[in-house]
Amino acid sequence: MELFLSTTTTTTTSSCLTWSWTNSLAPSSLFHTSKPQSIVVDMNKKKRFKVFCITKENQMTVSVTGATGFIGQRLVQRLHSDNHQVRVLTRSRSKAQLLFPVKDFPGLVIAEELEWKNCIQGSNAVVNLAGMPISTRWSSEIKKEIMKSRINVTSKVVDLINNSEDNVRPTVLVSATAVGYYGTSKTQVFDERSPSGNDYLAEVCREWEGSALKVDKDVRLALIRIGVVLGKDGGALAKMIPLFMMFAGGPLGTGKQWFSWIHLDDIVNLIYEALSNPSYKGVINGTAPNPVRLAEMCEHLGNVLGRPSWLPVPDFALKAVLGEGACVVLEGQRVLPVRAKELGFEFKYPYIKDALKAIV
């Protein structure tokens, strides 16, 4: 059991002090299934002491694929810091051990493929984030691998869940997909009810989601369609910031394409909430509520960095480097997180300007 002790002085010069034992769970991040008990004690009618008691019942065991990726690393850190048991499902134990050293992550389990079954069985939930990055030059072989890396891992995870005995089967699967599901458009607005597009990435997302949808009907499934994730030391900004610092940053292509983004903290919080909140099921768009045109995003980034955003990168240059894969940045879609807002999810960074300031 963990304890949280807070004191509030009731005099005119009020102050608030907080202590915690171990790496603590803040009361606001507790699971909906089991509320913390609180005890309020008045001492000399001057101070109120509130003790929050968090029991083992609130702890989860979560298996995570794609844990060594940009989102996965931050999610593992968050779960571990909140004292949940984390099982990293990986194909490279050595890579995972470098990212999650024992001294910083005591108790964390790292498992290669032959051990996935034992990890998934007995987990409360599974988060599936695995997939080969798409921001590369697409050859026919790369396109096959982009599809295969998502379908194969998702199918394997679903099979392991479905073949588990009832008493050890996870009850929640949070599976990543992408806003590429909707295709691209300069004029349309997409939400969770919008139909799928007809390009390659839309096909990948349909197959990806179709694999996850085969999970046992008694397992709560949340499909998170993720936009462009912005954060430090990775993702799209890791490739853009160096260009701006060399005074070579600017819009890609026309700059009129829509940029549906989300801050790394918000996508991690959304996944975290989906693990614990039974209302989170079905498709949920993992994007900020205020998408922008790419030119506007570049202008804000230039302002934050103190660098001009005046040198556009022409279409033909990107196509020469990325081939067909250039469509990822030359085309876009305006996606709104309607379901997340209905569920009451609070975005820490709803506006691109604030998100970039926090990151840079």
Side-chain angles (χ1 to χ4, degrees):
M1 181 171 70
E2 298 174 64
L3 298 176
F4 298 84
L5 177 62
S6 66
T7 75
T8 304
T9 305
T10 57
T11 61
T12 54
T13 56
S14 61
S15 62
C16 181
L17 303 174
T18 304
W19 297 269
S20 64
W21 285 263
T22 77
N23 279 332
S24 59
L25 260 171
S28 61
S29 66
L30 292 172
F31 291 114
H32 297 263
T33 53
S34 180
K35 297 290 185 182
Q37 299 297 315
S38 64
I39 305 168
V40 178
V41 181
D42 285 330
M43 296 187 67
N44 300 323
K45 296 185 179 180
K46 291 184 179 179
K47 292 187 177 182
R48 289 170 59 82
F49 290 79
K50 183 175 286 188
V51 180
F52 295 93
C53 302
I54 299 172
T55 67
K56 293 288 184 181
E57 295 174 7
N58 297 309
Q59 293 182 333
M60 290 186 73
T61 299
V62 183
S63 290
V64 184
T65 72
T68 60
F70 186 44
I71 301 173
Q73 287 183 53
R74 182 66 67 86
L75 178 65
V76 169
Q77 291 167 2
R78 169 78 189 277
L79 288 166
H80 188 268
S81 69
D82 283 355
N83 291 329
H84 301 298
Q85 298 296 315
V86 184
R87 298 172 177 180
V88 170
L89 308 185
T90 183
R91 290 178 174 172
S92 174
R93 188 188 304 276
S94 58
K95 180 180 179 180
Q97 287 173 335
L98 284 174
L99 293 172
F100 308 114
V102 174
K103 66 181 178 64
D104 297 326
F105 295 88
L108 183 131
V109 174
I110 296 175
E112 291 189 316
E113 276 196 82
L114 292 177
E115 304 165 299
W116 287 14
K117 177 180 177 180
N118 291 335
C119 284
I120 286 176
Q121 291 181 352
S123 290
N124 301 106
V126 179
V127 178
N128 177 37
L129 299 171
M132 176 184 177
I134 62 172
S135 55
T136 184
R137 185 178 182 85
W138 293 356
S139 64
S140 58
E141 289 303 312
I142 290 294
K143 288 174 72 173
K144 288 178 184 176
E145 188 57 33
I146 287 171
M147 175 82 79
K148 182 180 173 183
S149 65
R150 286 158 173 78
I151 307 309
N152 287 4
V153 172
T154 304
S155 296
K156 182 180 180 69
V157 166
V158 167
D159 287 344
L160 290 173
I161 292 173
N162 291 348
N163 293 330
S164 299
E165 297 292 332
D166 290 348
N167 61 329
V168 292
R169 179 181 295 134
T171 57
V172 182
L173 171 61
V174 180
S175 196
T177 171
V179 296
Y181 174 92
Y182 302 111
T184 62
S185 175
K186 291 182 180 178
T187 57
Q188 283 184 272
V189 180
F190 301 101
D191 63 25
E192 289 86 350
R193 297 165 297 181
S194 300
S196 184
N198 54 15
D199 58 16
Y200 166 69
L201 288 180
E203 180 187 358
V204 170
C205 292
R206 285 195 301 273
E207 295 288 331
W208 197 4
E209 293 182 15
S211 299
L213 286 165
K214 293 176 183 176
V215 75
D216 187 278
K217 61 180 177 59
D218 292 327
V219 175
R220 177 169 61 83
L221 172 64
L223 290 166
I224 313 295
R225 289 181 184 153
I226 302 174
V228 180
V229 181
L230 304 180
K232 292 180 181 177
D233 306 321
L237 287 184
K239 298 177 181 178
M240 297 179 72
I241 288 176
L243 293 174
F244 275 82
M245 297 308 291
M246 293 187 294
F247 294 91
L252 306 177
T254 66
K256 294 179 180 179
Q257 63 270 45
W258 283 100
F259 188 74
S260 292
W261 60 279
I262 188 167
H263 191 285
L264 179 59
D265 287 352
D266 279 328
I267 191 61
V268 168
N269 289 343
L270 186 67
I271 293 169
Y272 193 99
E273 188 71 12
L275 286 170
S276 60
N277 190 329
S279 298
Y280 282 62
K281 53 189 173 183
V283 175
I284 302 169
N285 285 335
T287 59
N290 298 288
V292 294
R293 303 277 187 182
L294 188 59
E296 182 182 346
M297 196 284 291
C298 289
E299 182 180 354
H300 283 305
L301 181 58
N303 289 338
V304 169
L305 291 171
R307 296 289 193 273
S309 173
W310 55 269
L311 187 63
V313 181
D315 294 21
F316 69 84
L318 281 168
K319 288 176 180 176
V321 175
L322 297 177
E324 190 182 352
C327 72
V328 174
V329 290
L330 292 177
E331 302 172 23
Q333 57 279 108
R334 186 182 184 186
V335 180
L336 300 180
V338 171
R339 186 72 185 117
K341 293 181 77 173
E342 288 174 350
L343 289 164
F345 180 78
E346 294 186 9
F347 288 88
K348 186 177 179 182
Y349 300 103
Y351 296 101
I352 189 78
K353 184 176 180 180
D354 296 330
L356 292 174
K357 281 184 178 179
I359 292 166
V360 178

